Amino acid sequence: MTVETGHFALIVALMLALLQATVPLWAASRGNRELMSLARHTAWGQLICVALAFCALMYAFARSDFSVLVVAENSHSAKPFLYKLAATWGHHEGSLLLWILILVLFGACVATFNRGMPESTRARVLAVQAMVASGFLLFTLLTSNPFVRLATPPVDGNSLNPLLQDPGLVFHPPLLYFGYVGMSTAFSFAVAALIEGRVTPDWARWARSWVLIAWSGLTLGIALGSWWAYYELGWGGFWFWDPVENASFMPWLVATALLHCISVVIKRDAFKSWTVLLAILGFSLSLLGTFIVRSGLLTSVHAFATDPTRGVFVLMLLGIAVGGALLLFAIRAPAMEGGSGFAPVSREGALLLNNLLLATAAGTVLIGTLYPLVLEAITGEKVSVGPPYFNSTFVPLMLPMLGLMAVGPLLAWRQADALRAVKQLWLAAIAAAIVVAVAIWIGGAGVAGVIGLGVAAWLAVGSFYGWVRRWWGPGALRRLVGLPAEVHGMTLAHIAAAVIVAGITAASVWQGERVQLMKVGQTAQLSGYSWTLDRVYDTLGPNYEAVRGQMTVRDDDGKTVAVLYPERRFYPDSRQNTTEAAIHTTGLADLYAVIGEGSADEGWAVRLYHNPLVPWMWFGAGLMAFGGLVSASGRVRVRRTRKQTAGAAEASA
């Protein structure tokens, strides 16, 4: 009965979404406030219904109810309870339901927050949000119903892919979807602005908070996925330019450009058309990512569906949503641009260059991602576009942008003196020179590595200086406290970018790797450490059998640095093997060991890695997301200040 209740709740949610997509939109055009307010109630009604459906599906997984098709196909009674719950979104139907849940959650939040927004604007934003929800609810009910019953339930389930039975994968999809779907709010604001025919600084302030929240979620989701691939797949790397990785990275690049562009709308009432277009493109790329992993184009642990008919449905949604929005943009955008002009050397000019570089970078990733898929779909020929393509196209675009990030915040609006701004960064230049000298002295970094590390130092010190100069001097504490939250958030995000660049560069150019057969008692040398395989033994997990190695790592002085326990697991229910890397981190480097097939007589295949600064990437990503949330908190602070000011004025009256 619970399962049927969940199915019924989804149908009710669809009815509410259709109601919200039409009536408030019509009411806004007629100025009918009573019917416009209907959108708030239906937005919450959708959230309650979809949450009920999601809980019903999760309950079926928790109880191992194998009469439900998706439970029988993706769970097993021997699986740990946490992974039973996580299996709710570990397949196409459940992940789509999670997608919709986050979509209606954002809708309900827009209905509740953004006080001061005109009722007509809110009604239009929620109507567009409901149109998107209607499409995905139809998609779910017509092609991907998670509540299908089996006439003859099996005794036990097929289990979930062992690679997905991992804490990283418990949290990675929800965070990634939070970012993906959060971009729908920016899309809804953009389309609502096009319907109204105006973009104002207030509109930009309302939209920015949602973009920041979505961008922070997407940042954490991408980082968590990269971290999972790093330790779970056992290949010692963290990013492979896989189409699925790219599908999440492209919206992030566009969202980053959008955030910078929105600030120009707020400060200078300019870049309006470009801002709206970026909002549309950001969500369009999110939908494209959804299409890629659900169309059958990919064979991957991330590819949720292999049924092309589902891909056709997503393609239709993509065409209607993006095509309709772009058509509206073509009609309305020419009349929206405004604001005063600016000199090429100015804050606006720097942000425009930033946008062009980010948009071009997203374009290069899009071409490299789609070209092999399109070529194979048309000709059947398989080609691979891997790291060499992306490194030669993406990196040259990012280096000038990273350098510009330290200079841009020092430039004045409308017209600036670039030479004066650069002169202020003498300390950053010294820091970059020191880092470059150290990198050359260490050796092995190559030209690209030296430049990458120098740029990272330049950006970190330059961003910190830009923040300090805003409050340093007489009354420093008062000025520091009075700084807008957006300034703190921007500084954190820019410094975080420098930390990530340093981590990626060092891990790429100075990674130590050794692959060999090792017998118990043997020692291998790598990056100044001695790695001794002490023993190999069998062990049992909750739903797997494992061969576990014990490896002691010592430094040059013979002092024990770490004891690592890599595993090779076998899952009997799914008949699959996985590797579990053992990692010891010092914060400055990771010691990384993987054990593969082998025997006591011939030895065990062992892969050892020394990855300098790789932990900085995860730390930097967390810091960057935190910076985004700090910036988003600025709206809360502004509202609180306004409320206090209004209260003081009322009291004095």
Side-chain angles (χ1 to χ4, degrees), residues 72-385:
E73 290 182 342
N74 299 283
S75 190
H76 191 278
S77 56
K79 201 163 56 174
F81 185 70
L82 176 64
Y83 300 136
K84 287 184 180 179
L85 296 181
T88 307
W89 55 83
H91 49 96
H92 167 69
E93 292 81 359
S95 66
L96 190 60
L97 190 55
L98 176 64
W99 215 98
I100 297 171
L101 177 63
I102 296 173
L103 181 67
V104 296
L105 172 64
F106 269 95
C109 289
V110 172
T112 304
F113 302 108
N114 282 331
R115 292 177 183 175
M117 182 191 298
E119 196 64 36
S120 58
T121 301
R122 189 193 306 274
R124 290 186 176 106
V125 171
L126 291 176
V128 177
Q129 193 81 358
M131 289 178 194
V132 177
S134 301
F136 277 92
L137 282 164
L138 269 174
F139 180 35
T140 299
L141 289 168
L142 296 180
T143 72
S144 313
N145 184 2
F147 299 111
V148 173
R149 290 278 196 185
L150 288 171
T152 308
V155 176
D156 216 328
N158 294 334
S159 191
L160 183 69
N161 186 335
L163 288 173
L164 303 180
Q165 298 180 41
D166 180 86
L169 258 292
V170 172
F171 303 106
H172 163 59
L175 278 171
L176 197 62
Y177 285 13
F178 192 82
Y180 263 155
V181 184
M183 288 303 296
S184 68
T185 314
F187 175 82
S188 299
F189 269 92
V191 175
L194 290 171
I195 294 172
E196 291 187 342
R198 59 177 179 170
V199 171
T200 64
D202 280 339
W203 173 91
R205 289 188 189 92
W206 297 321
R208 183 171 66 175
S209 300
W210 302 109
V211 178
L212 279 167
I213 292 170
W215 179 82
S216 299
L218 195 53
T219 302
L220 286 176
I222 293 172
L224 203 53
S226 175
W227 179 58
W228 168 80
Y230 174 68
Y231 75 81
E232 180 66 21
L233 300 184
W235 58 295
F238 45 83
W239 191 265
F240 196 67
W241 296 106
D242 177 86
V244 177
E245 293 173 332
N246 296 345
S248 62
F249 191 44
M250 289 184 287
W252 186 89
L253 289 170
V254 174
T256 305
L258 175 61
L259 282 174
H260 289 84
C261 206
I262 283 180
S263 66
V264 183
V265 179
I266 293 173
K267 296 288 186 182
R268 302 285 302 141
D269 199 23
F271 292 7
K272 296 178 182 177
S273 302
W274 179 238
T275 301
V276 169
L277 183 60
L278 284 176
I280 294 172
L281 292 179
F283 185 57
S284 301
L285 289 172
S286 294
L287 289 178
L288 179 65
T290 305
F291 168 71
I292 288 175
V293 299
R294 298 171 196 280
S295 60
L297 286 175
L298 293 179
T299 302
S300 160
V301 67
H302 294 93
F304 284 118
T306 56
D307 180 2
T309 58
R310 292 172 174 171
V312 170
F313 204 109
V314 179
L315 197 59
M316 288 172 58
L317 282 177
L318 185 64
I320 294 171
V322 179
L326 290 179
L327 178 62
L328 195 58
F329 178 81
I331 296 171
R332 292 295 186 89
M336 294 174 66
E337 201 49 77
S340 55
F342 57 88
V345 180
S346 62
R347 182 80 68 88
E348 294 96 321
L351 289 171
L352 181 61
L353 182 57
N354 154 295
N355 266 236
L356 290 175
L357 291 170
L358 284 169
T360 307
T364 61
V365 177
L366 180 65
I367 292 171
T369 303
L370 291 186
Y371 173 70
L373 302 177
V374 173
L375 185 67
E376 184 179 352
I378 295 175
T379 67
E381 181 184 355
K382 291 188 176 181
V383 297
S384 176
V385 177

Side-chain angles (χ1 to χ4, degrees), residues 262-557:
I262 283 180
S263 66
V264 183
V265 179
I266 293 173
K267 296 288 186 182
R268 302 285 302 141
D269 199 23
F271 292 7
K272 296 178 182 177
S273 302
W274 179 238
T275 301
V276 169
L277 183 60
L278 284 176
I280 294 172
L281 292 179
F283 185 57
S284 301
L285 289 172
S286 294
L287 289 178
L288 179 65
T290 305
F291 168 71
I292 288 175
V293 299
R294 298 171 196 280
S295 60
L297 286 175
L298 293 179
T299 302
S300 160
V301 67
H302 294 93
F304 284 118
T306 56
D307 180 2
T309 58
R310 292 172 174 171
V312 170
F313 204 109
V314 179
L315 197 59
M316 288 172 58
L317 282 177
L318 185 64
I320 294 171
V322 179
L326 290 179
L327 178 62
L328 195 58
F329 178 81
I331 296 171
R332 292 295 186 89
M336 294 174 66
E337 201 49 77
S340 55
F342 57 88
V345 180
S346 62
R347 182 80 68 88
E348 294 96 321
L351 289 171
L352 181 61
L353 182 57
N354 154 295
N355 266 236
L356 290 175
L357 291 170
L358 284 169
T360 307
T364 61
V365 177
L366 180 65
I367 292 171
T369 303
L370 291 186
Y371 173 70
L373 302 177
V374 173
L375 185 67
E376 184 179 352
I378 295 175
T379 67
E381 181 184 355
K382 291 188 176 181
V383 297
S384 176
V385 177
Y389 163 79
F390 292 102
N391 291 340
S392 60
T393 57
F394 182 80
V395 175
L397 290 168
M398 288 296 99
L399 284 177
M401 198 201 72
L402 291 166
L404 188 66
M405 285 166 63
V407 181
L410 301 179
L411 297 176
W413 294 101
R414 299 188 66 179
Q415 186 165 10
D417 185 343
L419 188 59
R420 182 184 176 191
V422 172
K423 283 182 178 176
Q424 294 181 68
L425 292 170
W426 61 271
L427 195 59
I430 291 175
I434 292 173
V435 169
V436 166
V438 172
I440 293 173
W441 176 71
I442 293 174
V447 176
V450 169
I451 293 175
L453 292 168
V455 167
W458 162 268
L459 176 57
V461 177
S463 299
F464 183 73
Y465 168 77
W467 174 71
V468 170
R469 71 182 286 275
R470 289 173 180 266
W471 54 268
W472 189 258
L477 183 59
R478 178 179 52 79
R479 295 169 66 183
L480 176 62
V481 172
L483 274 182
E486 290 83 355
V487 174
H488 301 303
M490 176 195 69
T491 306
L492 287 172
H494 285 188
I495 291 176
V499 173
I500 293 171
V501 170
I504 290 174
T505 305
S508 300
V509 300
W510 285 322
Q511 183 189 55
E513 177 183 5
R514 188 172 185 120
V515 182
Q516 69 174 72
L517 285 174
M518 291 183 72
K519 294 181 179 180
V520 171
Q522 278 191 331
T523 298
Q525 300 294 326
L526 176 66
S527 301
Y529 293 96
S530 301
W531 308 61
T532 303
L533 184 61
D534 300 322
R535 59 175 180 146
V536 178
Y537 56 99
D538 295 332
T539 186
L540 291 175
N543 62 337
Y544 62 83
E545 304 162 2
V547 174
R548 179 180 294 170
Q550 177 180 315
M551 183 167 287
T552 301
V553 185
R554 297 181 177 85
D555 60 17
D556 285 340
D557 300 327

Side-chain angles (χ1 to χ4, degrees), residues 555-577:
D555 60 17
D556 285 340
D557 300 327
K559 182 181 177 183
T560 298
V561 178
V563 179
L564 304 176
Y565 296 94
E567 289 184 357
R568 177 176 171 80
R569 293 179 180 174
F570 174 69
Y571 289 80
D573 49 3
S574 60
R575 312 295 299 172
Q576 293 187 55
N577 288 299

